Amino acid sequence: MSKKRVLSGIQTTGNLHLGNYLGAIRNWVDIQQDYDNFFFFADLHAITVPHDAKTLAENTLKMAAVYLASGIDLNCSTIFVQSHVSAHSELAWLLNCVTPLNWLERMIQFKEKAVKQGENVGVGLLDYPVLMAADILLYDADRVPVGEDQKQHLELTRDIAARVNDQFGKQKPILKVPEPMIRKEGARIMSLTDGTKKMSKSDPSELSRIELLDSADAIKRKIKKCKTDPVKGLTFDDPERPECNNLLTLYQILGNKTKAEVAAECQDMGWGQFKPLLTETTIEALQPIQHKYHELMNNRDYLDSVLREGASKASAVANQTLARVKAALGFLPPL
Ligand code: TRP
């Protein structure tokens, strides 16, 4: 039996932090052998909010290097840059024309981001989920691993696929309706300065997050300053101690330990004893990734060749789907 196809993407904005790594990248890497994977860097999505033309390309490359350094296996995974496969933009247009406006107006993420942008909301921000639907549907993806915040966009993707099939594919469905693979809450990493908030790249304080590429010194400093509480003895799952739960969770995941092991190890510890342990574990866990990352960034030819090959494999699949949709919609084929 052939492997099911998994597709996912990540927006190419800014640096990646521990929350991105433990919440998303590591999950992909862990499951990749069981699937036929397509992972891409969503640079077209990155421009749905005002962006800096000087850093877009560099951000995309860095992201690719981080993913490769984190253990993406090119034997079972194809990685590519979204804007290198023109079928994404093209299918998005076709889907735009079958998607009711009010489906997009109710998207929670649009409403939240639109408020933040005030007057100057681009059409692209509203259209974001349609491009995302195109991303997914082009590859006949079976499964789409995403965080909880993307669930509504996946439901929309399913609705759009069903609508295309209903309107134009009565004899034979045109688009495959994908299944979501929503990440468990378990790997939700919280801010170092407030254990009730998600670790986020938009938090104004750098102390709130550990970046994947932070130096050992930066990691040491951030953990030293991170928020704790005055209680001695460290425990998971105490609703009164969100920071404690978060730091133990980090220690557990980065150290590849079980929850029970960490609970036993830390039950009598104070912060003065725990923080150096967490620091050392974090530095050690990130070191191999950082090392590989710098190696890749210093070998642009290799990185370029991976992305070139990825785009070519992806285009081969995507262009077939695009042709199928165009035929179903009744376009005059290219002459
Ligand atoms: N919107 C996704 C996010 O912010 C990124 C993304 C773009 C994506 N296209 C996708 C994820 C297609 C999965 C499938 O996380």
Side-chain angles (χ1 to χ4, degrees):
M1 216 179 77
S2 66
K3 289 182 181 175
K4 295 248 186 241
R5 181 166 294 161
V6 162
L7 172 129
S8 197
I10 180 145
Q11 216 168 292
T12 57
T13 30
N15 294 331
L16 290 167
H17 54 67
L18 267 186
N20 303 127
Y21 175 63
L22 299 175
I25 308 181
R26 241 173 65 152
N27 290 3
W28 280 3
V29 168
D30 285 349
I31 61 163
Q32 64 181 329
Q33 304 299 338
D34 299 334
Y35 298 96
D36 168 27
N37 310 279
F38 284 84
F39 296 150
F40 67 92
F41 308 107
D43 52 351
L44 296 170
H45 279 108
I47 66 164
T48 56
V49 291
H51 82 285
D52 183 355
K54 289 199 232 31
T55 54
L56 182 63
E58 187 69 11
N59 283 345
T60 305
L61 266 183
K62 281 188 188 165
M63 193 77 94
V66 167
Y67 269 76
L68 277 173
S70 303
I72 293 282
D73 178 356
L74 296 172
N75 288 313
C76 57
S77 301
T78 301
I79 65 169
F80 64 97
V81 177
Q82 186 187 29
S83 68
H84 291 176
V85 180
S86 59
H88 290 244
S89 302
E90 221 180 313
L91 183 62
W93 174 256
L94 303 179
L95 299 181
N96 272 333
C97 298
V98 300
T99 305
L101 181 59
N102 65 11
W103 287 10
L104 300 180
E105 286 168 335
R106 9 175 233 268
M107 291 293 115
I108 294 162
Q109 200 169 69
F110 169 69
K111 289 195 260 187
E112 284 173 358
K113 288 189 184 176
V115 171
K116 280 196 204 142
Q117 277 190 53
E119 297 274 293
N120 193 16
V121 178
V123 175
L125 191 64
L126 178 69
D127 206 25
Y128 181 116
V130 179
L131 178 59
M132 184 162 161
D135 296 338
I136 296 167
L137 298 172
L138 278 174
Y139 297 90
D140 294 325
D142 295 293
R143 304 274 166 78
V144 185
V146 285
E148 187 68 32
D149 63 326
Q150 297 298 312
K151 205 169 151 186
Q152 199 186 25
H153 291 161
L154 274 188
E155 275 155 18
L156 182 88
T157 300
R158 292 164 53 87
D159 289 344
I160 293 176
R163 193 169 165 96
V164 170
N165 289 340
D166 182 51
Q167 290 187 359
F168 302 99
K170 281 272 187 289
Q171 321 294 330
K172 192 167 165 245
I174 304 155
L175 295 169
K176 179 173 229 165
V177 181
E179 297 293 331
M181 231 169 141
I182 305 295
R183 276 194 297 275
K184 298 186 294 290
E185 284 295 299
R188 217 170 122 110
I189 303 302
M190 313 308 277
S191 155
L192 294 185
T193 47
D194 179 350
T196 62
K197 282 199 311 205
K198 237 172 98 168
M199 187 175 284
S200 155
K201 58 187 158 209
S202 54
D203 191 312
S205 169
E206 277 189 22
L207 291 176
S208 71
R209 59 187 165 263
I210 292 175
E211 311 276 359
L212 223 46
L213 301 174
D214 268 348
S215 67
D217 277 350
I219 294 172
K220 206 181 282 176
R221 186 168 51 88
K222 288 176 181 178
I223 294 181
K224 204 165 171 187
K225 294 204 170 152
C226 75
K227 185 170 176 200
T228 54
D229 55 34
V231 187
K232 195 168 151 73
L234 309 180
T235 51
F236 282 103
D237 301 321
D238 182 340
E240 305 282 301
R241 307 180 71 189
E243 286 79 20
C244 187
N245 186 65
N246 186 44
L247 296 171
L248 288 188
T249 304
L250 277 177
Y251 182 58
Q252 179 203 326
I253 304 179
L254 290 169
N256 287 314
K257 302 189 180 198
T258 65
K259 192 170 172 177
E261 277 166 358
V262 172
E265 185 185 347
C266 302
Q267 60 182 347
D268 300 320
M269 268 187 208
W271 292 110
Q273 197 183 351
F274 175 76
K275 280 189 172 188
L277 273 183
L278 177 61
T279 304
E280 195 186 321
T281 302
T282 308
I283 293 171
E284 248 172 53
L286 297 186
Q287 224 157 34
I289 299 173
Q290 297 185 347
H291 182 75
K292 189 106 193 285
Y293 169 85
H294 292 297
E295 230 173 58
L296 287 161
M297 288 303 275
N298 287 326
N299 191 351
R300 265 298 293 279
D301 287 349
Y302 173 71
L303 201 51
D304 288 355
S305 75
V306 170
L307 293 177
R308 195 180 309 121
E309 202 171 304
S312 139
K313 275 196 200 162
S315 296
V317 177
N319 288 337
Q320 281 188 18
T321 310
L322 181 63
R324 207 165 70 217
V325 174
K326 283 173 116 176
L329 265 54
F331 282 93
L332 179 67
L335 302 170

